[in-house]
């Protein structure tokens, strides 16, 4: 079970390193071109680990050039892996205010977060746990990287592991 989570966090750490590597030495704004390079890592996480339903980077406000809010989140669906676009309210005029979410506020405080379980209606539409890590560079909060673990897939994998254990009773 520990190795299973280590695999997820290994990808999350790669994603965090990739975001930090996009920061220009003279400022902390992230360019669109630089952020395009992180897509492969997020897509790889969602594609290669069957219990991950979504993964990516959610930027601190006004950190990405020309964007107030920015997220680069990828999700698995029946059609494959695709980029998730932020949900809007019923009037389609307001963006999803992720900065008010606990997992994002934990990141702003420099703390990793395990959030949930909750129904991720905006992405994989399943019960998930979000594992998130803050992205900090030179003391500046750039955002959060993370992965949505789909509970029923995690459970299936853990049951398989537990069935292989010898009866110790």
């Amino acid at each position: 079970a520990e190795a299973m989570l280590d695999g997820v966090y290994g990808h999350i750490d790669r994603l965090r390193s990739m975001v930090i590597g996009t920061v220009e030495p003279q400022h902390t704004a992230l360019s669109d071109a630089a952020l395009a390079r992180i897509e492969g890592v997020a897509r790889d996480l969602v594609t290669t680990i069957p219990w991950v339903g979504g993964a990516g980077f959610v930027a601190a406000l006004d950190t990405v050039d020309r964007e107030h809010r920015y997220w680069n989140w990828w999700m698995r669906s029946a059609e494959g892996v695709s980029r998730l676009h932020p949900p809007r309210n019923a009037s389609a005029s307001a963006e999803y205010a992720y900065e008010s979410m606990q997992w994002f506020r934990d990141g702003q405080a420099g703390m990793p977060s395990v959030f949930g379980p909750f129904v991720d209606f905006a992405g994989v539409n399943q019960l998930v746990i979000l594992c998130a890590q803050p992205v900090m560079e030179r003391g500046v909060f750039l955002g959060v990287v993370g992965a949505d673990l789909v509970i029923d897939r995690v459970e299936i994998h853990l049951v398989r592991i537990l069935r292989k254990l010898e009866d110790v009773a």
Side-chain angles (χ1 to χ4, degrees):
E2 185 177 343
M4 182 180 101
L5 290 175
D6 284 347
V8 172
Y9 277 101
H11 276 79
I12 291 171
D13 287 341
R14 265 183 62 215
L15 191 54
R16 181 173 49 195
S17 295
M18 183 74 71
V19 173
I20 290 170
T22 68
V23 177
E24 304 280 333
Q26 62 273 26
H27 59 84
T28 55
L30 304 171
S31 70
D32 292 338
L35 287 170
R37 296 192 301 259
I38 71 167
E39 292 181 7
V41 177
R43 287 176 62 94
D44 184 51
L45 175 53
V46 176
T47 303
T48 60
I49 301 180
W51 49 87
V52 172
F57 169 64
V58 179
L61 297 180
D62 300 315
T63 301
V64 173
D65 291 346
R66 298 178 315 281
E67 303 269 351
H68 178 60
R69 287 189 178 93
Y70 175 88
W71 69 2
N72 192 325
W73 201 265
W74 293 81
M75 63 176 205
R76 179 194 322 260
S77 68
E79 295 79 38
V81 176
S82 60
R83 186 163 177 191
L84 176 65
H85 295 283
R88 296 183 176 270
N89 69 7
S91 69
S93 63
E95 293 179 322
Y96 171 57
Y98 56 76
E99 68 276 8
S100 66
M101 299 301 293
Q102 185 63 49
W103 53 265
F104 194 82
R105 291 193 320 261
D106 287 347
Q108 286 176 307
M111 300 182 315
S113 182
V114 177
F115 184 76
F118 63 98
V119 175
D120 184 20
F121 66 90
V124 297
N125 297 315
Q126 295 177 327
L127 190 62
V128 298
I129 294 175
L130 171 64
C131 298
Q133 295 281 343
V135 180
M136 307 286 280
E137 175 62 7
R138 297 186 307 268
V140 176
F141 174 66
L142 300 176
V144 171
V145 292
D148 290 324
L149 306 183
V150 179
I151 298 294
D152 61 347
R153 293 182 197 157
V154 170
E155 179 184 24
I156 289 168
H157 190 73
L158 283 175
V159 167
R160 287 180 184 150
I161 292 170
L162 292 173
R163 285 186 178 151
K164 292 178 184 176
L165 295 177
E166 293 182 31
D167 185 12
V168 292

